[in-house]
């Protein structure tokens, strides 16, 4: 009898974890490519920014990795690959961005759908 209760408890805990992965809080999120930053705000509005080649996160990781090597001071410049804003929704574990504005600069790798003016991301693939 206790074994069956343990199994039920484990199933319930697992289902809570799965549902938690389908939500994103208000604030800034970084996608697994470490170049895509999406800021979610109230009223389902978002701002999208994709860096070209490196981002604040990739630079931070590189600085930590090279901490023991020569430490130099300098200015770091970031190049925007694409940016935009609009409204978002989360449906079936995916973040769906519906753009009211979208500008592509240096990045040709974005999965921006020109016809629907949308982009989709798997919620569980956000790293921050």
């Amino acid at each position: 009898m206790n074994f069956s209760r343990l199994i039920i408890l484990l199933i319930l805990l697992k289902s809570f974890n799965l549902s938690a992965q389908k939500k994103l809080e208000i604030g800034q999120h970084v996608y697994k490519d470490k170049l895509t930053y999406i800021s979610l705000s109230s009223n389902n509005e978002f701002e999208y920014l994709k860096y070209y080649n490196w981002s604040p996160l990739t630079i931070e990781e590189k600085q930590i990795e090279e901490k023991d090597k020569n430490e130099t001071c300098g200015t770091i410049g970031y190049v925007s690959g694409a940016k935009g804003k609009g409204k978002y929704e989360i449906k079936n574990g995916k973040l769906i961005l519906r753009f009211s504005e979208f500008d592509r600069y240096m990045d040709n790798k974005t999965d921006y759908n020109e016809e629907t003016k949308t982009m989709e991301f798997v919620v569980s693939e956000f790293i921050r």
Side-chain angles (χ1 to χ4, degrees), residues 8-108:
I8 292 171
L9 180 63
L10 289 174
I11 291 171
L12 286 173
L13 289 174
K14 201 63 157 159
S15 66
F16 286 127
N17 284 341
L18 292 175
S19 66
Q21 292 177 352
K22 294 183 180 183
K23 296 181 182 182
L24 288 173
E25 308 250 340
I26 299 297
Q28 187 178 65
H29 301 278
V30 181
Y31 202 58
K32 68 181 181 179
D33 65 1
K34 299 179 184 175
L35 298 174
T36 304
Y37 286 60
I38 300 173
S39 297
L40 304 179
S41 59
S42 59
N43 298 327
N44 289 12
E45 295 177 347
F46 73 88
E47 288 189 26
Y48 168 88
L49 177 61
K50 178 142 187 198
Y51 290 97
Y52 182 71
N53 286 342
W54 61 84
S55 70
L57 179 58
T58 59
I59 295 296
E60 178 184 322
E61 288 175 344
K62 185 175 180 177
Q63 288 172 339
I64 290 170
E65 180 182 301
E66 296 178 350
K67 183 179 178 185
D68 296 330
K69 296 181 183 176
N70 287 338
E71 291 190 33
T72 59
C73 296
T75 303
I76 298 171
Y78 300 102
V79 178
S80 176
K83 70 177 185 176
K85 61 183 178 178
K87 297 276 187 174
Y88 74 90
E89 69 176 303
I90 297 176
K91 192 175 191 179
N92 298 325
K94 291 188 178 180
L95 173 66
I96 303 167
L97 305 180
R98 298 190 192 291
F99 289 87
S100 58
E101 297 176 25
F102 182 80
D103 294 311
R104 186 186 317 247
Y105 302 111
M106 301 290 292
D107 188 62
N108 292 325

